[in-house]
């Protein structure tokens, strides 16, 4: 799409102290927050935002800290952080005001269901090829060779025969957290699986046991000899026109065992899902199995230099945008909806990014102090972008650690060389793994004096999913 620039901040990686306390913004009710504001002499004539959620984790913590009022079932609400299933039956506009906001688009599954994501990317690739010719660069080169089973079984067999020495990975379409995933290198393995009665489905059957099969990446980038993938957060506030924000921070999930292609059946070697890794005997709950992406970036910069890592991050940005543009024609845009996707990306030894999957409801429950701090800030900044109270300048291209990278076209950074006779080539407004030290100050600047956040204060977390 364009040459992405990036903020290549050299940062020192620090290990999370086992004794570090989780940080908590507030454990009381919304009315308590408002009461505390009154004690500080703050007054407000604007009624608090009424929110609804069933999540008893960081989501609840952040909304209460905003001074919002939690409502019960059957009561009116302005903001609903719902489960993905609810939005499929979203009421028509005559029953739901245009001023409310819901955290999912009705057709989010066009990107987040593995089979539909594959279908849409393949369709986009064909369209791209028709328009620019067969010699054009493959816009979807980040997607491993993938087939939907049972529908594309015979096509898969032909591809398998062209790669007789390769390993493949099977993933169930309707499951998560690493459940049902297995690797194989012999066609006889899948022949036995194909005989399973769950594979024999009628047209009207639920597709929860349908699978996709992908060429397994045999040369992942390793740190300490261990495989990892990276979770990035991408916020879409509109599909028509497409508006995309990327979050600067993310995290890498590491396996607990040294990587090897010798044993394809060892989930602790090949699957980085936390739900899988936390069952390992050597799993340390106090440390977890994650690094912040800024730490991973600093590690990569120290070994490969700025130029190579800049290209890698540009490729990751292209991965986000290509995926979203591929599903844009299939999406049912709704002005009341937004979506924060969790993109899972794998780097290989050549620093090439590969798309693993896209999550519609990335976990916001923390398992370490560092994880809680990340997810609290993520949600706080997200609410700043959504801007229920209409506090920020709508032309802002940064809110906290969210950067606007696409607004019906690429968004470029403001040039610092306004008075120069020859300005350098504009750089895109992308800062993956970039500076986070001024996040709060920037959020307060954008939201103005009415900003009621301020972030977590030291203490034990009851709603955030863990207790120090």
């Amino acid at each position: 799409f364009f040459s992405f620039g990036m903020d290549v901040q050299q940062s020192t990686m620090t290990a999370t102290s086992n004794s570090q306390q989780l940080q908590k913004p507030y454990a009381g009710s919304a009315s308590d927050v408002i009461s505390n504001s009154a004690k500080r002499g703050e007054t407000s004539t604007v009624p608090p935002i009424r929110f609804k959620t069933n999540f008893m984790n960081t989501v609840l913590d952040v909304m209460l800290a905003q001074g919002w009022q939690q409502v019960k079932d059957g009561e009116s609400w302005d903001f609903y952080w719902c489960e993905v299933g609810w939005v499929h039956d979203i009421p028509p506009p005559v029953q739901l005001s245009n001023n409310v906001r819901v955290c999912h688009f009705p057709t989010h599954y066009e990107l987040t269901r593995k089979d539909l994501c594959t279908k849409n990317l393949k369709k986009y690739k064909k369209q791209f090829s028709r328009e620019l010719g067969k010699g054009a660069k493959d816009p979807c080169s980040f997607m491993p060779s993938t087939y939907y089973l049972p529908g594309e079984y015979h096509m898969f067999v032909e591809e398998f025969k062209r790669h007789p020495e390769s390993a493949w990975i099977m993933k169930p379409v309707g499951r998560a957290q690493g459940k049902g995933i297995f690797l194989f290198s012999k066609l006889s393995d899948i022949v036995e699986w194909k005989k399973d009665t769950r594979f024999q489905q009628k047209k009207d059957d639920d597709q929860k046991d349908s699978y996709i099969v992908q060429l397994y990446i045999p040369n992942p980038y390793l740190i300490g000899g261990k495989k990892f993938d990276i979770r990035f957060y991408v916020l879409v506030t509109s599909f028509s026109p497409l508006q995309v924000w990327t979050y600067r921070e993310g995290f890498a999930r590491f396996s607990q065992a040294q990587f090897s292609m010798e044993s394809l059946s060892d989930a602790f070697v090949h699957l980085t899902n936390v739900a899988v890794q936390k069952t390992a005997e050597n799993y340390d709950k106090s440390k977890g199995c994650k690094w912040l992406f800024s730490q991973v970036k600093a590690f990569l910069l120290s070994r490969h230099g700025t130029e190579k890592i800049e290209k890698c991050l540009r490729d990751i940005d292209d991965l986000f945008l290509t995926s979203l543009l591929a599903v844009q024609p299939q999406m049912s845009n709704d002005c009341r909806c937004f979506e924060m996707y969790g993109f899972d990306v794998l780097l290989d030894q050549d620093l090439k990014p590969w798309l693993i999957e896209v999550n519609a409801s990335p976990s916001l429950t923390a398992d370490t102090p560092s994880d809680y701090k990340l997810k609290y800030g993520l949600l706080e900044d997200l609410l700043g972008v959504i801007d229920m109270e209409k506090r920020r300048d709508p032309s802002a291209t940064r809110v906290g650690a969210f950067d606007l990278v696409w607004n019906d076209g690429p968004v470029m950074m403001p040039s610092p060389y306004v008075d120069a006779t020859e300005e350098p080539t504009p750089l895109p407004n992308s800062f993956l793994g970039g500076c986070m030290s001024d996040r709060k100050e920037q959020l307060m600047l954008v939201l103005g004096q009415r900003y009621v956040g301020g972030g977590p204060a030291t203490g034990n977390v009851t709603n955030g999913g863990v207790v120090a």
Side-chain angles (χ1 to χ4, degrees), residues 108-120 148 173-175 206-208 210 212 357-360:
H108 66 85
Y109 47 79
E110 291 289 347
L111 181 60
T112 58
R113 224 179 76 166
K114 300 177 183 70
D115 57 335
L116 295 180
C117 178
T118 299
K119 173 186 173 183
N120 288 318
Y148 169 66
V173 167
R175 305 177 74 179
D206 187 270
Q207 298 188 17
K208 64 181 180 180
S210 297
I212 63 164
E357 65 179 1
V358 185
N359 301 273

Side-chain angles (χ1 to χ4, degrees), residues 27-269:
S29 65
S31 60
D32 290 333
V33 175
I34 297 171
S35 176
N36 285 343
S37 297
K39 290 178 181 178
R40 294 193 298 267
E42 300 171 5
T43 60
S44 175
T45 59
V46 180
I49 299 297
R50 300 164 299 176
F51 77 92
K52 180 180 178 181
T53 186
N54 294 324
F55 291 92
M56 300 294 292
N57 57 15
T58 320
V59 173
L60 181 61
D61 287 348
V62 172
M63 292 184 189
L64 290 177
Q66 296 290 312
W68 291 8
Q69 178 181 353
Q70 186 177 13
V71 300
K72 300 178 181 178
D73 289 340
E75 296 180 339
S76 297
W77 48 267
D78 306 302
F79 188 96
Y80 188 11
W81 195 282
C82 62
E83 297 178 350
V84 291
W86 182 89
V87 77
H88 298 161
D89 301 317
I90 189 170
V94 294
Q95 298 182 24
L96 206 58
S97 166
N98 284 338
N99 294 323
V100 304
R101 292 294 179 269
V102 181
C103 67
H104 296 292
F105 285 95
T107 51
H108 66 85
Y109 47 79
E110 291 289 347
L111 181 60
T112 58
R113 224 179 76 166
K114 300 177 183 70
D115 57 335
L116 295 180
C117 178
T118 299
K119 173 186 173 183
N120 288 318
L121 285 171
K122 287 183 176 181
K123 182 178 180 180
Y124 183 79
K125 178 179 178 179
K126 289 181 181 178
Q127 179 184 351
F128 193 88
S129 222
R130 283 196 303 267
E131 293 178 356
L132 298 182
K134 293 185 178 180
K137 178 183 177 182
D138 180 4
C140 303
S141 61
F142 54 79
M143 181 179 69
S145 182
T146 307
Y147 297 90
Y148 169 66
L149 304 183
E152 298 178 329
Y153 178 75
H154 296 293
M155 295 172 62
F156 158 68
V157 171
E158 293 301 316
E159 183 71 9
F160 182 93
K161 291 177 180 178
R162 287 193 284 267
H163 302 276
E165 304 299 323
S166 299
W168 294 77
I169 183 168
M170 293 279 285
K171 302 177 182 180
V173 167
R175 305 177 74 179
Q177 298 183 328
K179 297 176 182 177
I181 296 178
F182 64 92
L183 280 70
F184 65 95
S185 59
K186 298 179 181 178
L187 196 56
S188 57
D189 296 335
I190 196 174
V191 169
E192 291 300 315
W193 170 85
K194 188 172 181 290
K195 294 178 181 178
D196 192 316
T197 55
R198 293 175 300 173
F199 188 81
Q200 307 298 329
Q201 296 178 352
K202 298 179 181 180
K203 291 183 179 180
D204 296 333
D205 285 346
D206 187 270
Q207 298 188 17
K208 64 181 180 180
D209 290 319
S210 297
Y211 279 68
I212 63 164
V213 57
Q214 286 184 327
L215 191 64
Y216 186 66
I217 307 301
N219 61 333
Y221 195 99
L222 306 178
I223 296 181
K226 297 179 179 180
K227 178 182 175 180
F228 66 93
D229 67 4
I230 307 168
R231 166 67 55 82
F232 293 100
Y233 297 101
V234 179
L235 174 64
V236 177
T237 52
S238 169
F239 272 99
S240 182
L242 182 62
Q243 295 175 336
V244 184
W245 301 72
T246 56
Y247 200 65
R248 297 187 175 196
E249 192 62 279
F251 61 85
R253 305 177 298 183
F254 284 81
S255 64
Q256 296 293 297
Q258 297 287 306
F259 182 79
S260 171
M261 291 294 291
E262 297 299 319
S263 176
L264 297 182
S265 61
D266 192 339
F268 298 126
V269 171

Side-chain angles (χ1 to χ4, degrees), residues 334-443:
D334 192 317
C335 66
R336 301 165 297 180
C337 300
F338 65 91
E339 192 92 41
M340 184 179 70
Y341 293 104
F343 276 76
D344 292 340
V345 176
L346 174 76
L347 299 181
D348 66 18
Q349 292 176 358
D350 298 320
L351 296 175
K352 174 181 173 58
W354 297 89
L355 177 63
I356 304 302
E357 65 179 1
V358 185
N359 301 273
S361 188
S363 174
L364 295 171
T365 298
D367 52 17
T368 65
S370 176
D371 199 31
Y372 183 79
K373 181 179 180 181
L374 164 63
K375 291 173 179 176
Y376 184 93
L378 169 72
L379 286 167
E380 191 175 44
D381 295 349
L382 180 148
L383 296 184
V385 174
I386 302 305
D387 192 25
M388 292 296 294
E389 294 94 341
K390 309 300 180 187
R391 296 178 291 182
R392 71 172 177 86
D393 181 351
S395 65
T397 58
R398 179 187 175 189
V399 178
F402 270 110
D403 297 295
L404 182 64
V405 297
W406 192 272
N407 187 15
D408 203 22
V411 177
M412 314 307 286
M413 284 191 292
S415 173
Y417 303 98
V418 177
D419 298 327
T421 54
E422 293 185 7
E423 295 186 17
T425 303
L427 297 176
N429 195 49
S430 176
F431 301 90
L432 293 178
C435 179
M436 295 280 287
S437 61
D438 64 340
R439 184 191 73 82
K440 282 190 174 297
E441 290 78 3
Q442 199 280 336
L443 189 62

